[in-house]
Amino acid sequence: MNASPYDADMLVVGAGPAGVAAALMAASLNLRALVVESGPVGGKLHRVSAMENVSGNWSTGPQLAEALAADLQRLQKAGRCRVVEGHAVKASGHDDRAELALADGRVFTSASIVVATGVTELAPSDLQWVSAPADFSASPLWRATPQELTGRTYVLGADRPLGTWLRAHPDSTATLHVLCPPADRYKAAEVEDDGRVRLVPVSHAAISRPLYGDGWTVEVKGHDGIKTVYAATSVLNNLGSKPAGLAGLVSGEDGYCPPNQQHRRIRVAGDLRSARFQRIATAQGSGAEAVLGYYYETSLRTANGAAK
Ligand SMILES: Cc1cc2nc3c(=O)[nH]c(=O)nc-3n(C[C@H](O)[C@H](O)[C@H](O)COP(=O)(O)OP(=O)(O)OC[C@H]3O[C@@H](n4cnc5c(N)ncnc54)[C@H](O)[C@@H]3O)c2cc1C
């Protein structure tokens, strides 16, 4: 019989690469993990159409996502992990436990929580450098097929899915006019040698409907203050992302959740940690490390006679 007062030793929120790595590491240490996930296992992997920086010879994100789902199934079958569907809303650390509250009212307790909820897409209304009418909704670049890119395509922002899209469609000859604010400059460096990319440095971009015809009017203000107006057939969203944290986490000024500033029972892994380390391999490493950190800290505390 299990004498533990908790629902699990380790609660893991999110089953993207970081969360699954955390669950696997927990199982390998004989910790009972409970994974809470609101969508399909794999998280953003389902959007990665071409992958070349993850070991294991994976060429697309969905392939890896499928393998991660199989990993969790294997652990569940062996009784070493439980996966529940649900949307977590709050993580809290207490002296004797950690608690995770779900939107449907369920509350789970554990010795520690790994939060690996990643990021969500930014919309124009989240940013000051772009303005657009209320009815404007740009579909994401990562979902666009080359066949859809007829006419003059403008891309809002130079976030990294731009590089992924170019690698996924090496034969596409579409030209992407990428509106690049100063904050995206370091990301644009990855793609500026690709002849299909026209970087348009902007301090502000205003999207509006043209007086006549279809498409969009894009009024760009350059760094020199000079305004230029372009006619766009389509405008795609590549603005980047914002952290998808939970209530109860400590956030920095940029909204991200630095791991070293959380309650000792709460660990943060994956994209949620910082805007700069958003990669599959680092997500996996940080998920595994979050669990190991807890494990060794607890062993030491127990060895020193303190409560888990
Ligand atoms: C278009 C695109 C292309 C990319 N290309 C590459 C690439 O080529 N190479 C590379 O290394 N990286 C790439 N990335 C980045 C990579 O996908 C991420 O760094 C990685 O997926 C982050 O893993 P994660 O586990 O932190 O978060 P995610 O993969 O975002 O997983 C988070 C999980 O948490 C779940 N979740 C969120 N909130 C809650 C909640 N409240 N309750 C329950 N569950 C929740 C989500 O449903 C999701 O499954 C790309 C990203 C995108 C969007």
Side-chain angles (χ1 to χ4, degrees), residues 32-227:
R32 293 174 310 128
L34 190 157
V35 180
V36 177
E37 169 57 62
S38 56
V41 170
K44 297 285 182 311
L45 292 177
H46 294 281
R47 301 182 183 184
V48 182
S49 44
M51 214 162 69
E52 57 182 22
N53 57 356
V54 182
S55 53
N57 203 25
W58 305 103
S59 51
T60 72
Q63 285 174 355
L64 177 55
E66 203 178 308
L68 298 190
D71 279 336
L72 285 189
Q73 266 175 14
R74 177 172 49 80
L75 289 184
Q76 284 195 93
K77 271 193 188 153
R80 301 170 73 191
C81 167
R82 212 176 120 204
V83 181
V84 301
E85 196 182 323
H87 185 80
V89 289
K90 185 174 181 189
S92 47
H94 305 272
D95 283 349
D96 59 341
R97 70 193 186 289
E99 261 182 24
L100 185 71
L102 270 52
D104 60 13
R106 281 178 289 173
V107 175
F108 294 113
T109 59
S110 63
S112 180
I113 304 179
V114 174
V115 183
T117 44
V119 292
T120 57
E121 239 158 49
L122 283 168
S125 54
D126 292 315
L127 294 164
Q128 298 209 324
W129 71 265
V130 51
S131 56
D135 67 340
F136 173 78
S137 114
S139 62
L141 168 69
W142 63 264
R143 202 184 278 153
T145 62
Q147 297 73 30
E148 286 164 3
L149 305 189
T150 53
R152 204 172 164 98
T153 302
Y154 278 80
V155 177
L156 291 177
D159 199 38
R160 290 194 194 86
L162 179 57
T164 305
W165 194 91
L166 293 166
R167 283 194 298 280
H169 305 291
D171 299 329
S172 168
T173 53
T175 300
L176 301 176
H177 300 267
V178 179
L179 304 183
C180 181
D184 282 7
R185 197 68 197 86
Y186 75 100
K187 301 178 195 167
E190 264 183 40
V191 297
E192 61 193 356
D193 292 338
D194 192 308
R196 298 169 292 172
V197 173
R198 301 268 187 287
L199 285 180
V200 185
V202 301
S203 61
H204 189 265
I207 318 285
S208 58
R209 284 279 183 207
L211 285 178
Y212 305 103
D214 296 329
W216 297 96
T217 298
V218 181
E219 186 191 84
V220 164
K221 192 173 167 194
H223 300 319
D224 48 11
I226 294 173
K227 288 183 180 171

Side-chain angles (χ1 to χ4, degrees), residues 235-261:
V235 179
L236 298 171
N237 183 354
N238 188 42
L239 289 168
S241 41
K242 57 183 173 186
L246 306 178
L249 296 181
V250 178
S251 313
E253 271 178 13
D254 59 359
Y256 283 90
C257 304
N260 58 1
Q261 289 178 27

Side-chain angles (χ1 to χ4, degrees), residues 216-297:
W216 297 96
T217 298
V218 181
E219 186 191 84
V220 164
K221 192 173 167 194
H223 300 319
D224 48 11
I226 294 173
K227 288 183 180 171
T228 314
V229 176
Y230 302 102
T233 314
S234 59
V235 179
L236 298 171
N237 183 354
N238 188 42
L239 289 168
S241 41
K242 57 183 173 186
L246 306 178
L249 296 181
V250 178
S251 313
E253 271 178 13
D254 59 359
Y256 283 90
C257 304
N260 58 1
Q261 289 178 27
Q262 311 302 322
H263 187 277
R264 74 175 178 86
R265 292 187 182 274
I266 299 179
R267 314 268 153 167
V268 173
D271 281 8
L272 184 59
R273 292 168 304 155
S274 120
R276 295 237 163 174
F277 301 108
Q278 299 189 350
R279 295 288 190 282
I280 296 157
T282 52
Q284 291 176 314
S286 67
E289 200 170 305
V291 175
L292 277 176
Y294 159 77
Y295 180 76
Y296 285 118
E297 196 181 287

